Amino acid sequence: MTSRQSILSKLPAKATPPAWSSQRLVPAFVQQDQAQLVALFCEKVMLSQATIETVASVNEVPARVAALFPNAEIVVSDVLNNLPWSQVALQRVGLDLAKDGIIAVTDCFAGVAETGTLVLLSGRDRDSRLNFVSQTHIVIVEASSIVGPYEDVWQMLRDATISIPRAVNFVTGPSRTADIEQTIELGAHGPGEVHVIIVDAFEHQP
Amino acid sequence: MEVTSNQFKQEASKALRNPVLQKALGHIEEGFVEARNQAARRLPEFEQMRDRARDIKAHAIDNLGFYLSQFEDQVIAQGGQVHWAADAQEAREIVAAICLDQGARNIAKSKSMVTEEIELGPYLEAKGLASVETDLGEYIIQLRDEKPSHIIAPIIHLSKEQVSDTFYEHHQKHGYFDKLTERSALVKQARSVLRKSFMNADVGITGANFLVAETGSVVLVTNEGNGDLVTTIPDTHIVVTGIEKVVPTMDDCHTLLRVLVRSATGQDTTSYVSFFTGAKRPGDAAGPSNFHVVLVDNGRSDMVGGVNHDMLRCIRCGACLNHCPVYANIGGHAYGSVYPGPMGAVLTPQLAGVEQAIDLPNASTFCGKCEEVCPVRIPLPSLMRHWREEEFARHLTPKPMRFGLGMWSWLGRQPALYRVVLSMVQRVLGLFAKRGWVKHLPMGTSWTLYRDMKAPKGGSFQQQWRRR
Amino acid sequence: MAEASTKGKRVALFATCLVDLMRPNVGFAAARLIEDAGYQLEVPEGQTCCGQPAYNGGDRAAAVAAALYTIDVLSGFDYVVLPSGSCAAMISRHYPTLFEKGSANHDRAVALAARTFELTVFLADIAKTELSSSSTIGAITYHDSCSGLRELGIHDQPRKLLSAMEGVTISEMKNPDTCCGFGGTFCIKYPEISSRLAERKASDIVQTGASTLVAGDVGCMLNIEGKLHRQGSDIKVRHVAEILADMVDD
């Protein structure tokens, strides 16, 4: 008998799906209209010790990044290639894992107002490593993609008929550790700074 | 599971006299207890969510075979592989075989209590497969060749100065020769040193906080981001996890995440909650091509339907440790097991044998605080009591205690004699009393070494009541 | 001051072994409070220990025997009242778990559990006593005994009764709900750990500046009092019944 068989033989055997309703139980404070959710999201992002700003169009993002980090070397997610990067004073470079201090710019699939969380997907033009090897992570969030509770993110994926990607990363604020004397320090292994740019209109690339 | 739990008393005694440890343990109250209270207060639905979390886990455990099979099917459908390990040895062998198969030279680990339980690190090292712990606390533990003393805060027993000394000793080979005094500098240096481990890793090993049956997703909760680095850079990701971690759906998982994080660290959420589903898809920009999940039983299936069935709900948040007055005063090492505190007092006897951990279920005042804060409402004192009953039945209870309890119980059913004995005890206490207080009692030094006792007077209550 | 409905209701006072042996005065104070509330008080003969030490020591057979014995001793009363949260919880929460559901003994245990109350719960919630007594005790601080607090939900009742008294003010300590380290046989099995918990409790008590520590369980009282006295403190340790009845001895 294999270990699989011996383990399963000790567990209650049920071939048919057990009766179960995964009732959603979400906090009341996230059940709001879209404008309120965006405001809540902004508030929670700031509580997570990330910074946030809003621009009208996604085409303004390169200029905003250049304003924050003039003449810096930046690594831009391939999915954002079509933004007007060449028009601003920034140097786009490729990802060098050996280097710390990387500034990375990525999109995200959704924002979760409940905790100011950014939801990032892995994919063809989305290198998940950027989310974690950078020192500064700049994330573009489309206002209409902001939802109340976490559960809505999965519904959005189903609605968009996007099959589940290898990695779905829920990111809330900078990397942190409280291992030493239970005192929080930012920038443990992941980004020490997270900057969120909300755009009013942004065409999604599935 | 190797434990040294039968040295509990001596180790607890040492811990109580260790000023550095005592100072370090002082951080628990503000860092964890108060943080959890505030997080619970911020979420009005918290208690309701705990009920729901309990029900989800109870349902999943009652249908564990179904959900594990469903999970397995989904992982395979997404290009991953699932391995079943009946015990620690088999789990270690599976992981080592995968690493050897990949020709692994650099293995990066993120924190996982199951890998501590099965003692994976030393096994891999013996096979020439050295792995680097990348969670800051676990990294420091590895450098110091110690064991974690807390399931979510591995170095809660250490001071900043001890961490500084450890880095000073071990980081010179990386070109760091200064003794650091600031926490932020320590964190920065560890970041810099460990970056090479991430960059060069060809295998990443993680645990899992939850497994989602409907999607085949592995859920990992961290604050540092190391868990994500070891799962996105190397070409192979091995998940080592207990079979009790599976939950039916994503919605269920989020309910559990909400109570887990608040109970563990008092945050509303951690910086990173990641869902890994299968291997790198064709065309993906990054991610491991090989995705393995090792489902570890190691005694868990024996708990199903037994007296410790409810313990399978445990989501390893550590709240019972943080709130336990015993843990808060002696720390985790005295328990002699990777699972300390109240949850460890139930789990360690189960996994290592109760004869190996006689003290653990007894080293509780049954104050009930652990049950009060447990996010999935495990009746921890009742489960500890089950172990005490098991010990009593197997004559593992220390003889003097067994004799004393037996005498007292027998006396309790002889009311006339009981009254005589009570009067005698009162008189004896009176003989030893000076100005109404007993300061030394030859038969009762357990009490009088540490406290005085006001001598009762005038006969027992029942005697005085009848005399009225 | 008692309501008419209390007339003729028979209340058994189960003193508990620790009161019987160590603090007879608590038994008298409890008896007076119950009588003053208008009940017909009795102290059933033959009462001994509720069996909690055996139960928590893993000797289930002895716990069952103690429960059967105590169920007999306490039969036939309208209420059973105990000046102890932990012994009251033993009877009302744990006795029923000692017997198989559906058995005659289980039914008897459940019936006894339903009419068993800790003293302050009985006074505040059942008798709805409004104490008109006063005390010269001044500032007190209250320690929540673990079993009473977590198994029976006793928190507001003693505070409500105490603060209704003229001359009593409650000054809360930092962690009134943290265990004092008594834990029944725990204090004998692990004296060093127990002592450290008692030290922390004593320190929290001293910081309030109160001159009296009040608690609802004699076990906790002995532990805290013994530690305070060993430290040379002159803070007095009283049972809530002693304050409520204004019957402080010594």
Side-chain angles (χ1 to χ4, degrees):
Chain A
M1 195 159 62
T2 64
S3 291
R4 182 185 187 278
Q5 288 165 327
S6 73
I7 293 167
L8 285 173
S9 73
K10 288 199 265 179
L11 306 175
K14 279 179 196 123
T16 53
W20 178 246
S21 62
S22 293
Q23 295 155 8
R24 272 198 185 189
L25 183 54
V26 303
F29 77 89
V30 301
Q31 288 156 11
Q32 304 193 38
D33 68 31
Q34 192 62 24
Q36 289 170 314
L37 283 180
V38 173
L40 179 64
F41 175 77
C42 294
E43 183 191 317
K44 295 287 182 176
V45 165
M46 285 187 278
L47 277 175
S48 76
Q49 293 175 274
T51 50
I52 192 160
E53 65 179 304
T54 305
V55 297
S57 156
V58 72
N59 289 325
E60 294 174 32
V61 167
R64 286 306 309 150
V65 175
L68 288 166
F69 302 99
N71 299 313
E73 289 186 352
I74 58 162
V75 184
V76 178
S77 173
D78 285 348
V79 78
L80 301 173
N81 276 339
N82 54 0
L83 301 191
W85 297 105
S86 56
Q87 296 169 16
V88 296
L90 287 167
Q91 298 174 56
R92 281 188 67 182
V93 294
L95 177 60
D96 176 3
L97 292 177
K99 200 178 141 200
D100 200 359
I102 294 166
I103 300 170
V105 187
T106 73
D107 73 340
C108 76
F109 176 70
V112 184
E114 182 170 346
T115 42
T117 298
L118 308 157
V119 182
L120 298 100
L121 309 183
S122 63
R124 186 174 290 273
D125 297 316
R126 293 186 174 92
D127 185 339
S128 297
R129 294 175 300 181
L130 297 187
N131 312 339
F132 306 105
V133 298
S134 52
Q135 169 61 32
T136 304
H137 188 194
I138 301 168
V139 187
I140 306 168
V141 186
E142 190 184 3
S144 64
S145 78
I146 292 170
V147 297
Y150 310 113
E151 286 86 340
D152 285 357
V153 172
W154 303 101
Q155 192 56 49
M156 272 173 75
L157 273 173
R158 284 186 286 261
D159 291 347
T161 63
I162 298 171
S163 65
I164 192 165
R166 181 196 70 82
V168 179
N169 298 117
F170 284 55
V171 175
T172 311
S175 155
R176 64 195 71 204
T177 180
D179 273 350
I180 304 172
E181 297 182 335
Q182 277 51 67
T183 305
I184 293 168
E185 294 292 336
L186 299 184
H189 294 299
E193 291 171 40
V194 173
H195 184 67
V196 177
I197 302 177
I198 296 186
V199 299
D200 286 338
F202 181 21
E203 195 133 317
H204 258 289
Q205 202 178 310
Chain B
M1 192 168 79
E2 287 289 316
V3 299
T4 55
S5 305
N6 281 345
Q7 279 135 48
F8 176 81
K9 271 191 189 170
Q10 300 90 299
E11 293 303 316
S13 180
K14 277 191 230 163
L16 289 168
R17 292 155 208 245
N18 178 342
V20 179
L21 173 67
Q22 289 299 317
K23 187 161 177 279
L25 292 173
H27 298 293
I28 293 177
E29 180 149 347
E30 198 187 332
F32 284 132
V33 175
E34 193 43 42
R36 183 243 175 224
N37 283 346
Q38 287 176 13
R41 275 200 295 271
R42 282 195 298 270
L43 184 67
E45 295 88 351
F46 186 62
E47 293 304 313
Q48 204 188 337
M49 294 221 179
R50 286 175 64 191
D51 287 341
R52 183 73 188 157
R54 171 199 59 203
D55 295 347
I56 292 166
K57 284 294 287 186
H59 171 80
I61 300 302
D62 285 344
N63 297 281
L64 201 47
F66 176 83
Y67 289 119
L68 285 171
S69 301
Q70 188 186 11
F71 171 79
E72 179 185 37
D73 291 346
Q74 293 299 320
V75 171
I76 293 167
Q78 300 289 1
Q81 291 180 56
V82 176
H83 311 261
W84 301 69
D87 55 24
Q89 180 60 25
E90 192 176 4
R92 292 188 292 249
E93 285 167 6
I94 291 167
V95 175
I98 297 168
C99 293
L100 289 168
D101 193 44
Q102 293 299 321
R105 283 163 295 113
N106 298 294
I107 302 171
K109 273 190 81 256
S110 90
K111 192 176 121 47
S112 145
M113 289 315 296
V114 175
T115 61
E116 292 286 343
E117 174 188 324
I118 65 170
E119 290 153 59
L120 180 64
Y123 181 86
L124 291 178
E125 199 174 336
K127 296 260 165 194
L129 296 161
S131 58
V132 177
E133 294 285 353
T134 62
D135 169 83
L136 179 61
E138 290 283 342
Y139 171 65
I140 293 161
I141 289 288
Q142 190 177 35
L143 291 181
R144 295 173 63 91
D145 196 19
E146 285 185 353
K147 296 224 171 183
S149 69
H150 189 291
I151 61 172
I152 68 155
I155 55 162
I156 199 160
H157 58 287
L158 295 178
S159 67
K160 181 178 73 182
E161 289 72 26
Q162 287 172 304
V163 174
S164 172
D165 290 347
T166 303
F167 281 6
Y168 182 69
E169 185 188 339
H170 291 274
H171 284 174
Q172 303 204 2
K173 62 173 176 278
H174 298 291
Y176 296 102
F177 300 101
D178 292 337
K179 190 110 167 215
L180 302 175
T181 53
E182 296 299 316
R183 260 185 303 268
S184 55
L186 291 165
V187 171
K188 206 171 159 198
Q189 190 174 93
R191 176 187 174 103
S192 169
V193 169
L194 283 167
R195 181 139 293 233
K196 293 184 200 78
S197 301
F198 293 122
M199 209 175 81
N200 298 326
D202 32 34
V203 173
I205 299 176
T206 71
N209 292 91
F210 301 103
L211 309 172
V212 182
E214 70 170 347
T215 56
S217 303
V218 170
V219 186
L220 199 59
V221 178
T222 73
N223 271 311
E224 296 183 4
N226 62 313
D228 292 285
L229 285 162
V230 308
T231 55
T232 45
I233 296 173
D235 200 41
T236 300
H237 176 192
I238 307 173
V239 180
V240 183
T241 187
I243 55 170
E244 83 285 10
K245 294 277 167 71
V246 71
V247 296
T249 68
M250 277 297 176
D251 285 359
D252 295 330
C253 185
H254 282 292
T255 299
L256 282 156
L257 284 165
R258 286 190 185 97
V259 298
L260 168 67
V261 180
R262 288 174 173 86
S263 302
T265 58
Q267 295 170 279
D268 293 341
T269 183
T270 50
S271 296
Y272 305 107
V273 177
S274 300
F275 299 79
F276 302 113
T277 313
K280 178 181 179 179
R281 309 290 190 265
D284 270 5
S289 314
N290 309 295
F291 180 72
H292 297 267
V293 181
V294 184
L295 296 172
V296 182
D297 183 345
N298 202 31
R300 288 164 174 78
S301 60
D302 296 335
M303 292 161 73
V304 175
V307 288
N308 289 317
H309 180 95
D310 289 346
M311 194 61 205
L312 289 167
R313 292 206 298 267
C314 177
I315 54 175
R316 309 288 193 268
C317 70
C320 63
L321 280 61
N322 300 333
H323 289 78
C324 176
V326 175
Y327 180 94
N329 281 287
I330 64 171
H333 284 153
Y335 292 84
S337 161
V338 295
Y339 299 120
M343 58 82 73
V346 176
L347 214 47
T348 304
Q350 178 76 39
L351 300 177
V354 69
E355 67 285 348
Q356 298 298 322
I358 295 169
D359 278 304
L360 302 198
N362 291 287
S364 160
T365 64
F366 276 177
C367 79
K369 190 78 188 172
C370 49
E371 184 174 356
E372 181 182 291
V373 298
C374 174
V376 288
R377 304 197 192 278
I378 298 170
L380 289 157
S382 298
L383 301 185
M384 283 184 249
R385 192 182 289 109
H386 281 310
W387 282 123
R388 295 184 187 185
E389 287 171 4
E390 173 87 8
E391 289 180 8
F392 190 87
R394 289 174 55 187
H395 290 260
L396 296 168
T397 308
K399 283 200 175 67
M401 183 54 67
R402 192 183 174 91
F403 176 77
L405 284 176
M407 282 297 291
W408 181 248
S409 299
W410 177 81
L411 198 60
R413 301 191 297 278
Q414 327 293 328
L417 189 57
Y418 167 90
R419 287 193 291 269
V420 171
V421 170
L422 251 56
S423 304
M424 279 170 48
V425 172
Q426 263 208 1
R427 274 204 289 276
V428 169
L429 289 174
L431 287 175
F432 280 95
K434 284 179 190 145
R435 284 191 292 270
W437 289 85
V438 180
K439 294 194 163 254
H440 174 67
L441 207 55
M443 292 288 285
T445 51
S446 285
W447 187 277
T448 54
L449 272 175
Y450 305 96
R451 323 162 185 79
D452 296 336
M453 183 184 278
K454 199 183 198 176
K457 51 183 191 271
S460 74
F461 166 68
Q462 290 194 68
Q463 266 182 332
Q464 293 189 46
W465 180 261
R466 309 288 165 220
R467 277 206 306 260
R468 235 174 1 150
Chain C
M1 67 182 173
E3 291 167 41
S5 61
T6 64
K7 290 281 179 253
K9 288 253 172 91
R10 291 173 67 220
V11 174
L13 175 66
F14 188 88
T16 77
C17 57
L18 281 178
V19 165
D20 213 358
L21 174 66
M22 299 302 296
R23 280 291 192 283
N25 189 53
V26 172
F28 283 100
R32 179 184 289 176
L33 289 165
I34 295 164
E35 284 181 331
D36 283 356
Y39 294 89
Q40 186 185 326
L41 178 92
E42 293 177 45
V43 178
E45 290 240 22
Q47 59 175 279
T48 58
C49 164
C50 65
Q52 194 181 172
Y55 181 60
N56 286 341
D59 189 351
R60 198 176 170 90
V64 168
L68 286 172
Y69 176 85
T70 303
I71 289 169
D72 273 340
V73 168
L74 298 177
S75 66
F77 294 92
D78 294 304
Y79 298 106
V80 173
V81 175
L82 299 88
S84 158
S86 110
C87 306
M90 180 66 201
I91 295 178
S92 65
R93 294 288 181 269
H94 298 289
Y95 273 14
T97 69
L98 292 170
F99 305 102
E100 205 180 320
K101 276 191 181 132
S103 67
N105 285 334
H106 183 259
D107 293 346
R108 296 176 71 211
V110 169
L112 174 61
R115 55 177 197 269
T116 297
F117 297 94
E118 184 274 341
L119 179 70
T120 61
V121 175
F122 182 75
L123 294 174
D125 299 345
I126 305 298
K128 299 191 170 35
T129 309
E130 289 191 11
L131 292 169
S132 53
S133 55
S134 62
S135 167
T136 54
I137 210 92
I140 63 159
T141 188
Y142 190 84
H143 165 68
D144 293 290
S145 297
C146 300
S147 295
L149 175 70
R150 301 200 180 86
E151 295 190 286
L152 301 175
I154 302 170
H155 179 269
D156 297 345
Q157 297 92 338
R159 288 176 173 79
K160 187 179 143 199
L161 293 165
L162 287 164
S163 44
M165 290 178 74
E166 205 175 302
V168 177
T169 55
I170 303 178
S171 167
E172 295 284 358
M173 70 182 88
K174 190 168 149 225
N175 293 311
D177 67 336
T178 295
C179 182
C180 72
F182 177 67
T185 53
F186 177 86
C187 68
I188 305 300
K189 290 187 285 189
Y190 304 98
E192 276 188 278
I193 303 172
S194 170
S195 169
R196 181 61 57 84
L197 268 60
E199 280 168 17
R200 292 204 167 194
K201 179 56 70 175
S203 155
D204 288 347
I205 291 166
V206 169
Q207 277 175 30
T208 64
S211 57
T212 304
L213 179 273
V214 180
D217 268 81
V218 171
C220 312
M221 287 169 57
L222 295 174
N223 185 39
I224 297 169
E225 175 181 74
K227 179 55 78 179
L228 283 168
H229 194 262
R230 177 62 57 96
Q231 292 177 340
S233 166
D234 55 4
I235 294 173
K236 299 276 189 271
V237 175
R238 310 289 188 199
H239 193 279
V240 61
E242 295 176 298
I243 306 295
L244 294 176
D246 198 20
M247 278 175 61
V248 171
D249 72 342
D250 76 5

